[in-house]
Amino acid sequence: MNADLHCHSTVSDGTLEPEAVAARAHANHVELWALTDHDELGGQQRARDAALALGLPYLTGVEVSVTFAGTTVHIVGLGFDADDAALRDGLAATRGGRRERALEMAEGLAQAGIEGTFEGALHYVGNPELISRTHFARHLVERGICSDTQEVFRRFLVEGRPGYVPHRWATLRNAVTWIREAGGIAVIAHPGRYRFTPNEEYALFTEFKAYGGRGVEVVTGSHTKAEAERYAESALEFDLLASRGSDFHSPDESHTDLGSLPPLPPRLQPVWEALEDRVQRPGR
Ligand code: AMP
Ligand code: MN
Ligand code: MN
Ligand code: MN
């Protein structure tokens, strides 16, 4: 099954409107889709309506920013009730502070000689509550300061660089609880991206399970083949469901297109099998 359960629209830091992401997923032969904007459900109704109009089965989705062991970790939620009040309130609280952080980022960049980046980044923002590092990256590329967004992150937007401002996101416990109590399944996003020690990674998986987390992304646009194999082992070791998603943001930036992923490695239980009754299908 060509499931793509991780991607972004203009409602967070993607460049396509939710309807355009749906159309692209459909054109790329995705058979089950979830839009997972960062910390925000504002695109869910639009994504669902567009998907069902195309005959594309849909799962609700979100990617929650979490601070764990001093690092930002992302938790994807799938198949929850998008009207759940506790989830909506939790996400609103998680979005809070992004504007202040962005002003501090601009201050740091100004001290490094690059003025006016807050206004510049805002120009790329679709949702004013969701100004993110990605929007700064696009602005610096537009100004010719870097040749692509990867270079901006490397030079300016990661720890130790002038535009980096640490931020306190949701707790792991809260993120998992919001998703679970809204009827969804929580999934550890792209575990290969975190720079954890083996002990920290073990703690992440163990605590995640203890709070009721049930899945891990094994095949994602952020993983090499070796990482997919490694986290397939983790899924088996921790008895977690396996997820699959491109993490598509933009036709110009994302190296993995919607639906263009290898299959899950054998022996894993796909997360969508446990979400059968949460899938929204055309004509229902
Ligand atoms: P923020 O939530 O503002 O910290 O921004 C995080 C977003 O930045 C992620 O969701 C990615 O879309 C993007 N990002 C993080 N690291 C990189 C990187 N090294 N290269 C390109 N984009 C990145
Ligand atoms: Mn992003
Ligand atoms: Mn992520
Ligand atoms: Mn993502």
Side-chain angles (χ1 to χ4, degrees), residues 113-147:
I114 309 169
E115 303 279 347
T117 56
F118 179 74
E119 295 71 19
L122 266 189
H123 177 77
Y124 285 90
V125 167
N127 173 358
E129 284 186 43
L130 239 294
I131 182 163
S132 84
R133 285 185 289 163
T134 314
H135 303 112
F136 280 83
R138 291 185 184 133
H139 170 65
L140 265 63
V141 170
E142 175 199 50
R143 290 205 8 206
I145 293 165
C146 294
S147 58

Side-chain angles (χ1 to χ4, degrees), residues 13 38 74 98 101 132-134 150 153 169 193 249:
D13 61 348
H38 298 284
H74 286 167
R98 274 191 181 264
R101 169 187 183 238
S132 84
R133 285 185 289 163
T134 314
Q150 302 282 342
F153 273 87
W169 306 110
R193 284 233 320 240
H249 282 69

Side-chain angles (χ1 to χ4, degrees), residues 6 8 38 63 74 189-190 193 247:
H6 187 155
H8 300 273
H38 298 284
E63 183 175 19
H74 286 167
H190 44 60
R193 284 233 320 240
D247 206 0

Side-chain angles (χ1 to χ4, degrees), residues 32-35 44 47-48 51 56-61 278-280:
L32 176 63
W33 177 53
L35 177 69
Q44 290 305 303
R48 172 190 169 279
L56 171 60
Y58 186 74
L59 279 170
T60 52
R278 311 293 302 180
V279 175
Q280 304 181 60

